[in-house]
Amino acid sequence: MTDHTSDPTRLTDLTARQLLAGYERGDFSPLDATRAVLDRIEVVQPLVNAFVRVDADAALAQAEASTARWSAREPRGLLDGVPVSVKDIFLQRGSPTLRGSRTVRAQGAWDEDAPAVARLREHGAVLVGKTTTPEFGWKGVTDSPLSGVTRNPYDPSRTSGGSSGGSAAAVALGAAPLSIGTDGGGSVRIPASFCGIFGFKPTYGRVPLYPSSPFGTLAHAGPMTRDAADAALLMDVISGADWRDWSQLAPAPGLSAALTDGAAGGAGRAGGAAGGGVKGLRIAYSPTFGNQVAVRPEVASAVRRAVGRLAELGAYIEEADPDVTDPVEAFHTLWFSGAARLVEPFGAEQRELLDPGLREIVAAGERYSALDYLAAVDARMELGRRFGRFHESYDLLVTPTLPITAFEAGRETPRGSGQRRWTAWTPFTYPFNLTQQPAASVPCGVDGDGLPIGVQLVAGRHADALVLRAAHALYESGAAPGLPAPGITPAGS
């Protein structure tokens, strides 16, 4: 076996698929890769604060077992020996899940895995650590009273986004090629855009969740990876059935194969394309949701270039806006009510420990009536109907993931913006939690400060493979390049 441990940066630069191919050839082992990742975490953690907990001993033990399986030519599952991080919202056996809150006690058995974590174990993944989250995942940036501020790998003075900001920063910096995050209003796609990685929110129910989220059916789980192919591979694992989630969809294996064989065509009358790629797809390009969103010029230009690349690849592009208005009030009613329900059992002392912004939305949520909640559900149903009709004509909708790039770390909104809540700068993400559609953020460039920009691809419900296939086409064409993070010193240098 070739020894690559003298060049750990090479191993931390590899995708999950490249690691697996190296294990198969005997170029290096899961133990080599895990050691390199753990070394990398030691370097980047003081700079960005992506992890709330790292269990090196457990990870090395898992890697040793995986190395033995590969040596015997008996790998287990699809991810045997691949280092993976897990957002500290998911239960993980043997590790406290504190969810960014000082109200959660670390003591306890912690003897159960969330469904996605259980599937990772079954497929031999190496669990290297838990990544940071804002308290209970309540906002679109990552800072919490428990673990402090998580920073952007391209500029540590900026936010990583959230609420899966620790996962995004970790993947961007080579601290494991795969992570799993949650997305209740953009929490996978927002940090993916800010940190220059791929983030995918699948159709609701495609990845089973347990315990259920306090934010109900707004909350999805999904992969955060270097590229779309790794995300499809991870989806083939974490979408496995789990009886604890009564709202789960039937398992949908084969997403990796669908990247190139076109197994999941378009939706509705649009029909989609034969084979892989985007040739023949009808794609709606909505740069501002019908002038409802002010998008920074550099963001708009980068997204427009990505749309042009889709056209060069054979898609039919039409500038078209969905017939919708901003559903933020309905989203707030559902989101704030969920927060209020979450802390309802808390006494006064526990509430004093909460993030002040979380306390504010809890107070708002407590003022809503059941009729207010049902009115928000009605608005959600109408939004879903309108997008369903839209996708009768278009296979995909393309928008900016966000209208801005990363701003000052430790703030919920950009300084001087006059904005109150994180939803004010995420108008392209939370609508698709209301409608439960699959959506992905693909890196498509950087602004003048070298900060990443993301383009969002959205399909009709259940067309998860179509989103992944189109994203994969962008990566294969070079339109979604991996972006080096300036200012971060590589491990081993």
Side-chain angles (χ1 to χ4, degrees), residues 16-87:
R17 290 166 298 109
Q18 290 169 333
L19 287 175
L20 291 165
Y23 301 160
E24 176 68 28
R25 293 189 303 266
D27 292 345
F28 45 80
S29 72
L31 191 55
D32 295 331
T34 300
R35 284 173 174 158
V37 164
L38 292 171
D39 288 346
R40 184 69 168 154
I41 291 171
E42 285 191 11
V43 172
V44 303
Q45 176 64 9
L47 300 173
V48 296
N49 187 33
F51 286 85
V52 68
R53 188 170 299 101
V54 176
D55 191 340
D57 290 341
L60 290 170
Q62 294 166 36
E64 287 178 359
S66 176
T67 297
R69 292 192 294 270
W70 279 104
S71 295
R73 294 292 178 180
E74 296 177 350
R76 183 178 73 198
L78 298 177
L79 294 176
D80 202 351
V82 176
V84 182
S85 65
V86 174
K87 182 180 181 181

Side-chain angles (χ1 to χ4, degrees), residues 351-377:
R351 292 192 179 216
E352 281 300 311
L353 297 175
L354 296 174
D355 181 330
L358 177 56
R359 286 203 303 269
E360 290 177 7
I361 72 163
V362 165
E366 290 171 338
R367 292 193 292 268
Y368 291 125
S369 69
L371 289 178
D372 293 330
Y373 190 92
L374 291 173
V377 171

Side-chain angles (χ1 to χ4, degrees), residues 9-10 17 79 91 102 111 131 133 144 181 191 198 201 235 258 266-267 298 312 325 342 352 359 436 459-460 480:
T9 58
R10 180 181 183 276
R17 290 166 298 109
L79 294 176
L91 292 178
R102 293 182 293 171
D111 57 0
T131 56
T133 176
S144 76
F198 183 73
K201 180 189 78 68
M235 282 295 298
E298 288 175 298
E312 292 171 3
T325 55
L342 170 69
E352 281 300 311
R359 286 203 303 269
Q436 303 185 340

